Amino acid sequence: MNKILSFLKIIFPSTKTEGFIFLFFAILYGANAWFIAENFSIIYDDRIPWDAYFSFDNRAIIQTGGGFERHPLSNYFFDQIRNFALLISGNHYNSTFRLVLALLSTLIISLANVQIFKYLHNIIRLPLKISLLILFFYGLFVTNILLSFTPETYTYTLLFLSIFNYYSAKQIQDEKTVSFGATIFGSVFIGGLTITNIVKVYIPFLFEKKIFWNWKKIGIAVSKVAVSAGIFIFLFLLRLDFNIQNFFTKTEEQYDKFSTPKVTPLWDMICSWFFGGNILFSNYEIRDYHNKDKTFYYKALFMDVYSSIIPYIFIGVILLMLIWSIFRNYKNRLVWILVISFFVDILIHCVLKFGLHTSYIYGGHFIFVYPLLFGWLFFSFKDKKMPLTFLYGTLMILTVYLGFNNFYRLTEFYQFLETYYK
């Protein structure tokens, strides 16, 4: 019973401040989600198979959980979400159905934001005003805004990764180990929604106290990986009817499709879409799309690269602060967990180029690293007033610019919906 209560305290708000934070974001994101779901069909339209806005595959995810080669167990997860939404809507794919899906996303992203606050306040132990500023800055990111009304694997992945990251950091800080149950939970839920994320569940094992100097600890860690991976693989093969060749064939097709070089220069795709597109909205590009049978034509919205120097400077400042944080905390085990986790996504998208042309949709896999590294940067100057004041002032300026830019771009998104999805 105590373990269950401790687990619930990790997931849900457990203090008045955390409760206020959850309500603040739930109301802020919820108003936007409600407006879009109630007035426009873009969140779910049975005629639109994919890519209606920013390359999200809402209908495919809701109906099938997405492609098994990338989202191996998500069909089980989204079957329950779809059935719940249909129960509330009276078995109709109407505005009520869309609203349930959108508000579930709102609650999930609001809970994920609470996890970030817990880490900043309980793990890093930053002063309240600094934690709240970092959190508010993070709450304005493109990823959080879009996922707060979008029923996608990334929405739930962001919550599960945030929870697991906070839990594992707390265990390591307290000189404890990640439990068998948490390892299995992480493997099935995090790896099940996106297969490449399963490796992030095992990264904290590398930083448990003196693990490489104790054969018993190594054996326990290996057994955790083996058991959790075994359960994951069994569930995955069960979905495939044990046809593993189909998985390899599909994976090769997906890699060829999503790693093809684009006209946009590589450096600009990395800057504008991987690093920037998950934080700061850019210009939009509207394209003509149709369903498989070409019986329905629709407009799809994508992000273009940045068109002025200011967004590049904005993203450059953020990257410099992240690098600064790493150098300031190079002896910190918890920082290296974040860095290695982030490097997994850099390798997949920037080096292997998988999905780089739409990497602004992948933020749910790594965007939580940004505020936490910012938090560690503030922590590294905890006894130095001048650098702290400079960092606080810089973050204030970044927050104001981010807020104005993203609000303006959101109104342009509304205009797109008003024109094509009323």
Side-chain angles (χ1 to χ4, degrees):
M1 180 60 75
N2 288 335
K3 286 187 176 181
I4 294 174
L5 289 175
S6 298
F7 182 67
L8 292 176
K9 283 183 178 180
I10 289 174
I11 295 178
F12 297 104
S14 57
T15 67
K16 288 183 179 180
T17 303
E18 291 170 8
F20 172 79
I21 288 168
F22 174 76
L23 286 175
F24 173 80
F25 283 112
I27 293 169
L28 185 69
Y29 294 147
N32 179 55
W34 195 298
F35 174 72
I36 293 173
E38 190 71 28
N39 295 287
F40 309 107
S41 63
I42 200 164
I43 290 176
Y44 185 92
D45 189 322
D46 215 31
R47 301 168 298 176
I48 300 174
W50 51 69
D51 291 342
Y53 62 100
F54 306 122
S55 204
F56 289 119
D57 295 333
N58 297 14
R59 185 192 178 281
I61 294 295
I62 293 164
Q63 290 294 349
T64 67
F68 63 80
E69 71 284 348
R70 285 179 290 164
H71 313 296
L73 305 178
S74 64
N75 63 318
Y76 303 116
F77 190 75
F78 279 93
D79 281 352
Q80 308 309 313
I81 293 172
R82 183 183 66 254
N83 291 338
F84 175 72
L86 284 172
L87 178 66
I88 301 299
S89 67
N91 212 35
H92 296 292
Y93 291 102
N94 52 17
S95 60
T96 303
F97 178 77
R98 297 194 302 268
L99 184 59
V100 173
L101 294 174
L103 291 182
L104 280 174
S105 298
T106 292
L107 296 177
I108 293 300
I109 298 302
S110 299
L111 276 177
N113 286 354
V114 171
Q115 296 299 313
I116 300 304
F117 176 78
K118 285 174 181 281
Y119 192 111
L120 294 171
H121 199 60
N122 300 336
I123 303 296
I124 307 179
R125 295 190 175 91
L126 293 175
L128 182 60
K129 73 171 188 176
I130 294 177
S131 296
L132 291 177
L133 176 60
I134 294 174
L135 183 65
F136 186 66
F137 175 65
Y138 172 67
L140 294 172
F141 282 14
V142 167
T143 292
N144 286 315
I145 292 173
L146 294 182
L147 294 185
S148 67
F149 65 86
T150 299
E152 254 281 8
T153 56
Y154 310 109
T155 307
Y156 296 86
T157 294
L158 181 55
L159 174 64
F160 294 149
L161 281 172
S162 299
I163 291 172
F164 190 82
N165 184 70
Y166 172 66
Y167 163 78
S168 59
K170 196 170 186 301
Q171 293 297 100
I172 289 173
Q173 191 176 64
D174 294 341
E175 304 294 356
K176 297 178 181 178
T177 60
V178 176
S179 71
F180 253 106
T183 307
I184 294 170
F185 169 89
S187 299
V188 171
F189 281 84
I190 295 172
L193 287 179
T194 303
I195 193 168
T196 53
N197 282 328
I198 194 170
V199 69
K200 298 175 184 177
V201 176
Y202 306 133
I203 291 171
F205 293 152
L206 301 174
F207 298 91
E208 291 180 356
K209 187 177 180 182
K210 296 182 179 179
I211 188 169
F212 295 109
W213 308 104
N214 188 314
W215 284 107
K216 183 180 179 181
K217 288 186 176 182
I218 293 174
I220 292 173
V222 169
S223 64
K224 289 176 184 176
V225 173
V227 171
S228 61
I231 292 172
F232 171 83
I233 292 169
F234 174 75
L235 293 173
F236 186 19
L237 290 175
L238 201 61
R239 182 185 180 185
L240 295 178
D241 292 327
F242 294 89
N243 183 3
I244 192 66
Q245 183 59 44
N246 192 23
F247 166 71
F248 289 120
T249 302
K250 276 289 200 178
T251 300
E252 186 176 356
E253 290 174 0
Q254 289 295 312
Y255 182 74
D256 290 340
K257 178 180 178 181
F258 287 99
S259 62
T260 306
K262 304 298 173 180
V263 177
T264 308
L266 179 62
W267 71 268
D268 210 355
M269 286 196 286
I270 292 173
C271 184
S272 293
W273 293 333
F274 180 79
F275 287 113
N278 293 290
I279 302 173
L280 187 73
F281 274 119
S282 65
N283 302 324
Y284 299 149
E285 178 185 358
I286 298 176
R287 301 176 193 169
D288 292 315
Y289 267 58
H290 56 73
N291 59 8
K292 286 183 178 179
D293 301 325
K294 296 186 179 180
T295 56
F296 179 70
Y297 290 79
Y298 60 96
K299 298 291 184 180
L301 193 68
F302 292 84
M303 284 196 209
D304 202 351
V305 295
Y306 295 124
S307 58
S308 74
I309 192 66
I310 296 176
Y312 290 103
I313 295 173
F314 177 90
I315 299 303
V317 170
I318 288 177
L319 292 179
L320 285 173
M321 291 177 74
L322 295 180
I323 294 169
W324 193 10
S325 177
I326 295 168
F327 275 101
R328 290 284 305 179
N329 297 279
Y330 71 95
K331 293 183 179 180
N332 190 320
R333 293 177 295 168
L334 300 183
V335 168
W336 283 109
I337 291 175
L338 299 173
V339 172
I340 296 173
S341 176
F342 192 18
F343 181 75
V344 171
D345 294 286
I346 292 174
L347 178 65
I348 292 169
H349 301 298
C350 300
V351 178
L352 300 178
K353 302 183 186 67
F354 185 89
L356 182 56
H357 61 293
T358 54
S359 55
Y360 45 75
I361 71 170
Y362 291 99
H365 296 171
F366 59 83
I367 203 66
F368 63 92
V369 171
Y370 286 65
L372 303 185
L373 286 180
F374 272 37
W376 284 116
L377 179 59
F378 275 90
F379 173 81
S380 69
F381 290 108
K382 61 181 179 179
D383 297 321
K384 298 179 180 179
K385 188 174 182 181
M386 284 295 291
L388 269 182
T389 303
F390 169 76
L391 286 174
Y392 195 82
T394 300
L395 190 55
M396 283 282 288
I397 294 170
L398 292 174
T399 303
V400 171
Y401 176 74
L402 179 67
F404 275 112
N405 179 86
N406 284 358
F407 178 75
Y408 175 74
R409 295 298 182 193
L410 199 58
T411 60
E412 290 185 329
F413 180 58
Y414 293 153
Q415 291 171 7
F416 169 78
L417 299 182
E418 187 73 35
T419 304
Y420 301 109
Y421 289 91
K422 186 68 175 174

